[in-house]
Amino acid sequence: FNRVEQTPVRDYFDRIENELVLDDEISSLFRSEWMFHRVGFSLKRNRKKFNLTLGAKYMNAGLIAEENAVQLTSNDKFHYVLPSMSARWKMKGSKSLELNYSTQVGAPQLSQLVTQVNNLNPNFLIIGNPNLEPEYIHSLRLNYSAFDQFNFSNQFANVSFSYSPNKIVNSRTLGQNLVTEVLPVNSGDHMMVNAYLSHSSPIRKLKRTMKGR
């Protein structure tokens, strides 16, 4: 069982006769609570040149957000299955290939849920969305590495891919008087791909010959 709670306070003051006086009407106390249970299993198979791990977890979660003791979210329960896989091959020489797949759930931040408008920048208004759902993310990563023990060079390559059917993103709208309004929403399909490649080897000493007359 895991529980994450946030209780920030946003206070606003008026300056009256060179004194700061708390404005109770717009000052707010916020609270969010993200609770979840997880249970799962994993299976492993180890061979001389191949290792495999398969796993899955069941997750039951709840999200609550309050503003001045008024509940903003519907207190819905969320249920997820979180599969995972890891495979590693030892290849000829000092080479290896590794494939990893995992899933995770990301809860929205309290600042993304509260309905009070953040207008610290009057030209850039941030509005919360209490209807946000936690985002579900698939991640796939492929790694290749090789080391040459004779010339001490190594190569490394990595490709990663992530996909979410309900990624939390910021929707921007240009309103009247050129004021930008930002609202977090659950988008549709969201994908991202990254790649990395490196090669390193020692610098050999240069032979120098000097001649004179």
Side-chain angles (χ1 to χ4, degrees):
F1 173 74
N2 291 271
R3 178 174 176 268
V4 180
E5 184 177 21
Q6 295 177 293
T7 55
V9 177
R10 184 181 295 173
D11 287 337
Y12 294 89
F13 296 86
D14 297 320
R15 184 177 293 276
I16 302 176
E17 297 180 356
N18 293 325
E19 292 186 4
L20 295 178
V21 179
L22 179 66
D23 191 332
D24 293 324
E25 292 185 359
I26 60 176
S27 297
S28 299
L29 170 65
F30 306 101
R31 188 180 79 89
S32 72
E33 195 172 79
W34 170 245
M35 301 166 292
F36 58 91
H37 304 262
R38 282 189 300 199
V39 60
F41 71 92
S42 64
L43 301 173
K44 295 183 179 182
R45 183 171 184 176
N46 296 324
R47 292 291 184 267
K48 185 177 181 179
K49 293 188 177 182
F50 177 71
N51 298 328
L52 176 65
T53 302
L54 299 175
K57 294 179 181 178
Y58 168 75
M59 180 175 177
N60 178 23
L63 178 64
I64 298 175
E66 297 177 353
E67 182 177 336
N68 293 328
V70 177
Q71 186 163 317
L72 302 175
T73 55
S74 58
N75 197 23
D76 290 336
K77 295 295 183 180
F78 302 94
H79 307 274
Y80 304 97
V81 176
L82 304 173
S84 62
M85 184 274 293
S86 176
R88 189 172 189 272
W89 294 267
K90 294 181 181 180
M91 305 167 69
K92 185 178 180 180
S94 298
K95 301 177 182 179
S96 66
L97 186 67
E98 187 173 354
L99 179 66
N100 293 286
Y101 167 73
S102 63
T103 49
Q104 61 183 4
V105 176
Q109 299 295 315
L110 177 59
S111 59
Q112 298 173 315
L113 297 169
V114 298
T115 57
Q116 187 182 80
V117 178
N118 184 339
N119 61 353
L120 295 178
N121 183 347
N123 295 317
F124 194 83
L125 305 181
I126 302 176
I127 307 170
N129 180 4
N131 296 317
L132 285 177
E133 295 183 357
E135 56 186 14
Y136 187 89
I137 305 171
H138 302 264
S139 299
L140 185 66
R141 186 175 69 253
L142 179 65
N143 296 322
Y144 169 79
S145 63
F147 176 72
D148 191 326
Q149 59 184 345
F150 297 104
N151 57 22
F152 300 102
S153 66
N154 62 71
Q155 296 84 38
F156 178 78
N158 170 273
V159 178
S160 61
F161 170 80
S162 66
Y163 165 75
S164 174
N166 62 342
K167 180 75 173 177
I168 297 177
V169 299
N170 287 328
S171 173
R172 300 192 179 193
T173 303
L174 188 62
Q176 296 180 349
N177 301 321
L178 300 180
V179 175
T180 301
E181 297 181 355
V182 178
L183 177 71
V185 297
N186 289 107
S187 68
D189 297 337
H190 182 275
M191 293 178 288
M192 183 171 62
V193 178
N194 290 302
Y196 175 79
L197 178 65
S198 71
H199 171 83
S200 64
S201 60
I203 299 177
R204 299 180 183 275
K205 293 183 178 180
L206 299 177
K207 294 182 178 180
R208 294 181 295 179
T209 302
M210 299 182 64
K211 295 182 179 180
R213 293 183 178 180

